[in-house]
């Protein structure tokens, strides 16, 4: 419109739904964190949390989400191998629950990879700069 006068662009509810989905995905991811004293558990938590923060704020979202998908899938198959435990043992049910909970987070991250971060993200703001 006028030079030097800021204008507001039109925003759609889709942008805010994608932001809400990313925030809820962060909350789902937080249930996957394990607070053990082992080196690998600490490494897993740090790498996963760093990538999830990138997804939440929308910075390099598709790359961070895809990296997190590969990371979570590898860890999930290794640590939650419920198929190696006999069905009658209670640990089978616990591992099966954790396995499919992690797969739910992976599914949400794949949607982020496919659809992008949405309008309310740093990736979108970088296009304006």
């Amino acid at each position: 419109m006028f030079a030097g006068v800021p204008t507001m662009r039109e925003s759609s509810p889709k942008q805010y739904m994608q932001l809400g989905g990313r925030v809820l995905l962060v909350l789902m991811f937080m249930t996957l964190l394990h607070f053990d004293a082992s080196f690998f558990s600490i490494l897993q938590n740090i790498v996963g949390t760093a990538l999830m923060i990138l997804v939440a704020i929308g910075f390099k979202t598709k790359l961070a989400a895809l990296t997190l998908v590969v990371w979570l899938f590898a860890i999930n198959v290794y640590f939650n191998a419920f198929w190696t435990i006999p069905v009658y043992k209670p640990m089978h049910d616990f591992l099966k629950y954790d396995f499919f909970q992690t797969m739910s987070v992976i599914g949400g991250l794949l949607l982020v990879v496919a659809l992008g971060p949405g309008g309310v993200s740093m990736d979108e703001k970088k296009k304006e700069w």
Side-chain angles (χ1 to χ4, degrees), residues 100-120:
F100 286 108
Q101 183 179 6
T102 305
M103 292 303 282
S104 298
V105 173
I106 290 172
L109 288 168
L110 286 173
L111 280 172
V112 170
V113 171
L115 299 175
V120 185

Side-chain angles (χ1 to χ4, degrees), residues 53-109:
I53 288 172
L54 290 177
V55 170
I57 63 174
F59 182 72
K60 301 284 185 186
T61 311
K62 288 187 176 188
L63 178 63
L66 191 60
T67 306
L68 201 52
V69 164
V70 173
W71 176 261
L72 283 177
F73 185 76
I75 288 173
N76 196 25
V77 169
Y78 183 74
F79 284 111
N80 296 325
F82 67 91
W83 52 87
T84 61
I85 308 293
V87 178
Y88 59 86
K89 292 191 176 183
M91 184 56 84
H92 176 84
D93 293 331
F94 290 125
L95 290 177
K96 192 174 183 180
Y97 175 79
D98 280 346
F99 181 85
F100 286 108
Q101 183 179 6
T102 305
M103 292 303 282
S104 298
V105 173
I106 290 172
L109 288 168

Side-chain angles (χ1 to χ4, degrees), residues 14-34:
K14 178 183 174 185
Q15 296 174 1
Y16 296 108
M17 281 192 254
Q18 284 178 308
L19 173 64
R22 288 195 331 259
V23 170
L24 291 174
L25 197 57
V26 169
L27 295 176
M28 282 180 64
F29 175 79
M30 286 173 49
T31 64
L32 301 178
L33 297 176
H34 298 286

